[in-house]
């Protein structure tokens, strides 16, 4: 893949700088961090190795805000010099991220842009243990951009709606341990229509999506998806109504001449009862019948559930249950927010690929952090479930998804739980994730279970103790040996931070990393079984 695709300039960042009206607010700050890291690595194959690494990482953050626009750009340049038992080496890594939103007409029309260039782990078996210091061979320079526009019509007495059109592109270089490079463009349309406030006896909703991913890899074919579903509730007595519902789903890999080019299409329709107390408090049960391209799924009768229930202003639950082309299907979201505790949970089942997951990642962040933040101790809990970060802030979840850079079509069943607690001297974040990736084109399955904790405790006005523990279990099932096996990965740390004035911070940190198992897809720098112990000292200077 041509390298120019990776380093092309961001047009959004250039557009931000074209004009500065009198009421605009532009803030720029810089953070420079220097680290000295000592490593002791015990490997099963090569015994013990010692390494000393020095890194210097300047970072620039810029925010721009007007009455209708807010934008953020952040760039980091990491210079690394390493001496080990055998040789010395130098490496440089440049990364950036940006986000912007323009609302020319409030509550009507908005434009969004977001993207990043960073180094991503390309091998799922090396999840949590690949960084610039170790397993850097598994990292690949990856660029993603997403542009979207949303039209909202929410003032209609009888009909209301919202529609979004988006474009995203994802590209990556090959890593030394993964020969796959991404080069894809995606186009997506989503829309929904619902009844307005004047509708008392007929409550209805229609939703549809279409997405086309043009995959640049040879012989991959374009990946198309479309869904549509709708219902109408006809009130019969009090809070009770009769529901009629229908759903359509189709997934296709086009421009290929094998059997995988066929559309996997699934339709269903049904009827049942709805109990509704309010717009955000109802439950519906329906009996449904399926129509499918697959004979074993055609003509099946199944129960469907649609639930939305706001238990209070702090707690909300939404869930669905039914059937899709692969069998039983479910989804759920649960949110809770109090003064000190915030939790979010989601479960979803999607037919997708790596490029789509990179271009539009799920974010259940329970902490809001300043863009110049280097520690969870600088973050805070938002005061509502629908908090919108201002310029200079970002909604952060402290874990990431585990991906394999192969871009095959997968059925991903994923659960994501995030919890945050912030009171007095302690800030605590906990996360749990599950992902099952079923390869639709291959006889292959991958499961990832992971959890993580991050803690910051203020032992004084200028001193914090920080700690983190992250663990992942990755298992692979396949007819090919290279994708079959299991790996247990650990990444834990404890550190001490001390502020000297408003701008200077010093810290010491001890970190423990471990990989154990026989899953070969990662091809780790130190083999499948090793322990990495690190001691580091760093100084951070902030200028604003």
């Amino acid at each position: 893949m041509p390298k120019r695709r990776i380093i092309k300039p961001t047009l959004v960042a250039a557009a931000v700088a074209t004009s500065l009206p009198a009421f605009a607010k532009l803030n720029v700050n810089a953070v420079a961090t220097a680290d000295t890291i000592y490593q002791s690595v015990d490997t099963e194959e090569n015994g013990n190795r010692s390494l000393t690494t020095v890194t210097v990482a300047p970072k620039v953050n810029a925010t721009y805000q007007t009455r209708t626009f807010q934008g953020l750009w952040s760039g980091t340049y990491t210079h690394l010099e390493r001496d080990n038992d055998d040789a010395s080496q130098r490496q440089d890594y440049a990364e950036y991220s940006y986000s912007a939103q323009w609302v020319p007409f409030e509550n009507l029309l908005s434009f969004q842009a977001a993207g990043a260039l960073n180094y991503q782990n390309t091998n799922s078996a090396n999840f949590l243990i690949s960084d610039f210091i170790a397993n850097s061979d598994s990292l690949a320079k990856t660029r993603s951009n997403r542009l979207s526009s949303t039209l909202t019509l929410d003032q209609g007495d009888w009909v209301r709606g919202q529609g979004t059109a988006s474009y995203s592109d994802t590209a990556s270089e090959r890593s030394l341990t993964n020969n796959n490079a991404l080069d894809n463009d995606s186009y997506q349309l989503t829309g929904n229509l619902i009844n307005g406030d004047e509708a008392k006896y007929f409550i209805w909703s229609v939703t549809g999506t279409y997405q086309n991913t043009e995959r640049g890899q040879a012989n991959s074919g374009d990946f198309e998806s479309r869904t549509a579903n709708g219902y109408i509730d006809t009130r019969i007595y009090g809070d009770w109504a009769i529901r009629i519902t229908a759903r359509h789903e189709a997934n296709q890999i086009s421009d290929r001449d094998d059997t995988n080019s066929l559309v996997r299409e699934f339709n269903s329709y049904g009827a049942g009862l709805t109990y509704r107390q309010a717009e955000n408090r109802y439950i519906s049960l329906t009996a449904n019948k399926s129509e499918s391209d697959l004979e074993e799924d055609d003509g099946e009768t199944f129960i469907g559930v649609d639930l939305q229930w706001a238990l209070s202003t702090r707690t909300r639950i939404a869930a669905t249950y039914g059937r899709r082309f692969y069998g039983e299907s479910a989804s759920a979201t649960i949110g809770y927010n109090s003064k000190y505790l915030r939790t979010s949970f989601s479960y979803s089942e999607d037919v997708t690929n790596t490029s789509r997951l990179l271009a539009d990642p799920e974010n259940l962040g329970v902490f809001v952090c300043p863009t110049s933040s280097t520690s969870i101790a600088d973050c805070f809990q938002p005061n509502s479930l629908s908090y919108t970060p201002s310029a200079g802030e970002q909604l952060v979840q402290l874990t990431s998804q585990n991906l394999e850079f192969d871009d095959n079509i997968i059925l991903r069943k994923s659960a994501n739980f995030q919890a945050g607690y912030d009171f007095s001297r302690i800030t605590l974040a906990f996360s749990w994730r599950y992902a099952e990736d079923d390869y639709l084109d291959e006889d292959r399955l991958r499961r990832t279970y992971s959890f993580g904790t991050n803690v910051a405790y203020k032992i004084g006005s200028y001193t914090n103790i920080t700690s983190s523990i992250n663990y992942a279990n990755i298992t692979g099932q396949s007819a090919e040996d290279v994708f079959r096996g299991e790996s247990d990965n650990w990444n834990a740390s404890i550190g001490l931070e001390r502020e000297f004035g408003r701008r200077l911070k010093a810290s010491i940190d001890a970190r423990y990393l471990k990989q154990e198992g026989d899953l070969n897809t990662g091809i780790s720098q130190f083999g499948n079984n090793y322990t990495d112990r690190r001691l580091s000292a760093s100084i951070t200077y902030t200028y604003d």
Side-chain angles (χ1 to χ4, degrees):
M1 180 182 60
K3 198 166 185 177
R4 59 183 177 82
R5 290 296 306 272
I6 299 296
I7 61 175
K8 72 178 188 181
T10 303
L11 297 179
V12 173
V16 170
T18 56
S19 62
L20 292 174
F23 51 85
K25 183 178 181 181
L26 175 65
N27 289 324
V28 179
N29 63 69
V31 180
T33 302
D35 286 271
T36 299
I37 304 166
Y38 172 77
Q39 283 179 272
S40 177
V41 182
D42 292 313
T43 68
E44 186 178 69
E45 300 175 357
N46 300 312
N48 182 268
R49 301 178 61 187
S50 297
L51 306 93
T52 301
T53 305
V54 176
T55 67
V56 178
K59 179 180 181 180
V60 176
N61 304 294
T63 61
Y64 177 65
Q65 186 171 17
T66 70
R67 182 177 57 83
T68 61
F69 178 90
Q70 69 176 30
L72 162 67
W73 185 91
S74 180
T76 305
Y77 183 86
T78 302
H79 174 73
L80 179 152
E81 294 188 7
R82 173 181 294 144
D83 291 321
N84 57 35
D85 297 335
D86 303 318
S88 300
Q89 60 181 177
R90 296 184 179 184
Q91 294 171 314
D92 296 286
Y93 303 92
E95 301 177 292
Y96 68 77
S97 64
Y98 70 90
S99 63
Q101 178 171 269
W102 179 41
V103 186
F105 304 101
E106 189 174 2
N107 298 324
L108 178 62
L109 182 64
S110 63
F111 298 89
Q112 300 83 27
L117 184 146
N118 51 29
Y119 288 81
Q120 300 255 5
N121 174 47
T122 61
N123 289 295
S124 57
N126 287 345
F127 181 51
L128 299 180
I129 56 174
S130 292
D131 55 22
F132 296 152
I133 308 302
N135 287 323
S136 59
D137 290 350
S138 293
L139 302 178
K141 184 186 291 186
T142 306
R143 173 184 49 78
S144 61
N145 298 289
R146 179 179 173 86
L147 305 173
S148 63
S149 177
T150 300
L151 176 66
T152 302
L153 303 172
D154 61 357
Q155 302 300 318
D157 292 334
W158 296 97
V159 179
R160 296 177 179 179
Q162 184 178 77
T164 299
S166 66
Y167 163 79
S168 61
D169 74 293
T170 304
S172 76
E173 295 178 347
R174 293 176 174 86
S175 71
L176 295 180
T177 61
N178 189 324
N179 199 40
N180 296 311
L182 306 178
D183 185 13
N184 300 330
D185 297 321
S186 291
Y187 306 86
Q188 184 174 15
L189 297 172
T190 64
N192 72 292
L193 293 173
I194 61 174
N195 59 275
D197 289 339
E198 293 297 324
K200 304 298 182 183
Y201 293 95
F202 298 96
I203 307 299
W204 56 272
S205 172
V206 178
T207 303
T209 66
Y210 172 80
Q211 188 168 8
N212 181 25
T213 300
E214 298 176 350
R215 300 193 291 173
Q217 298 87 337
N219 302 318
S220 293
D222 294 348
F223 173 31
E224 297 181 46
S225 304
R226 64 177 184 268
T227 65
N229 60 78
Y231 69 81
I232 181 169
D233 289 339
T234 303
R235 201 171 103 187
I236 53 175
Y237 178 77
D239 295 331
W240 293 91
I242 294 176
R243 169 168 290 199
I244 297 175
T245 183
R247 178 180 173 85
H248 164 77
E249 177 183 11
N251 297 280
Q252 179 183 11
I253 303 174
S254 62
D255 300 328
R256 281 170 47 169
D257 55 8
D258 58 18
T259 57
N260 293 317
S261 298
L262 298 177
V263 177
R264 299 192 179 187
E265 186 171 345
F266 184 87
N267 302 312
S268 66
Y269 53 89
L273 290 176
T274 298
Y275 176 73
R276 184 186 299 269
Q277 290 187 351
E279 181 181 1
N280 59 355
R281 300 185 73 179
Y282 70 84
I283 182 172
S284 177
L285 298 176
T286 56
N288 304 270
K289 190 171 184 178
S290 65
E291 294 180 351
S292 175
D293 293 332
L294 302 177
E295 184 177 349
E296 60 268 27
D297 292 327
D298 190 41
E300 290 286 326
T301 300
F302 62 94
I303 298 297
V305 179
D306 180 15
L307 167 69
Q308 287 196 36
W309 207 269
L311 300 177
S312 67
T313 56
R314 300 179 181 274
T315 308
R316 60 188 181 191
I317 300 173
T320 64
Y321 173 81
R323 193 172 182 86
R324 294 170 64 181
F325 70 88
Y326 52 84
E328 294 181 341
S329 173
S331 67
T333 59
I334 302 174
Y336 172 78
N337 187 71
S338 67
K339 186 175 182 180
Y340 304 118
L341 177 66
R342 179 184 174 98
T343 63
S344 296
F345 171 81
S346 75
Y347 175 80
S348 62
E349 301 177 357
D350 299 295
V351 179
T352 185
N353 66 350
T354 300
S355 294
R356 291 185 180 183
L357 292 169
L358 286 172
D360 190 19
E362 178 189 43
N363 191 341
L364 295 182
V366 296
F367 281 99
V368 176
C369 305
T371 56
S372 58
S373 171
T374 59
S375 170
I376 188 178
D378 301 325
C379 305
F380 66 90
Q381 291 274 114
N383 55 11
S384 74
L385 290 170
S386 56
Y387 181 84
T388 301
S390 62
E393 295 178 343
Q394 51 188 340
L395 198 61
V396 173
Q397 61 179 8
L398 301 174
T399 61
S400 59
Q401 54 190 345
N402 186 22
L403 301 176
E404 181 85 15
F405 273 41
D406 51 28
D407 222 31
N408 289 315
I409 310 303
I410 59 175
L411 169 61
R412 166 164 280 212
K413 299 180 180 181
S414 62
N416 184 359
F417 174 76
Q418 306 277 325
Y421 177 80
D422 184 14
F423 177 67
S424 185
R425 294 175 176 269
I426 190 168
T427 302
L428 169 66
F430 175 81
S431 65
W432 175 86
R433 279 179 177 259
Y434 165 77
E436 178 186 281
D437 298 333
D438 187 357
Y439 285 66
L440 300 183
D441 274 358
E442 302 178 15
D443 182 15
R444 183 181 170 191
L445 182 74
R446 180 177 59 250
R447 290 189 179 95
T448 302
Y449 295 89
S450 64
F451 74 83
T453 61
N454 288 263
V455 180
Y457 182 77
K458 296 182 181 296
I459 59 176
S461 300
Y462 305 101
T463 307
N464 301 314
I465 294 178
T466 61
S467 177
S468 68
I469 301 175
N470 294 281
Y471 166 77
N473 172 266
I474 306 107
T475 58
Q477 302 174 19
S478 175
E480 301 180 47
D481 290 342
V482 69
F483 300 125
R484 187 168 61 242
E486 183 176 6
S487 182
D488 292 300
N489 300 347
W490 290 89
N491 188 329
S493 70
I494 185 169
L496 180 68
E497 300 176 346
R498 172 71 180 183
E499 295 180 3
F500 298 93
R502 190 171 65 90
R503 301 184 184 276
L504 188 64
K505 179 187 294 185
S507 64
I508 56 175
D509 180 269
R511 185 170 296 271
Y512 175 85
L513 295 90
K514 182 177 182 179
Q515 183 178 45
E516 185 176 22
D518 57 358
L519 186 57
N520 293 320
T521 53
I523 317 177
S524 172
Q525 177 182 356
F526 304 119
N528 286 346
N529 296 275
Y530 75 93
T531 301
D532 181 359
R533 296 177 176 87
R534 305 179 188 178
L535 289 174
S536 64
S538 67
I539 295 177
T540 301
Y541 182 81
T542 302
Y543 177 80
D544 52 17

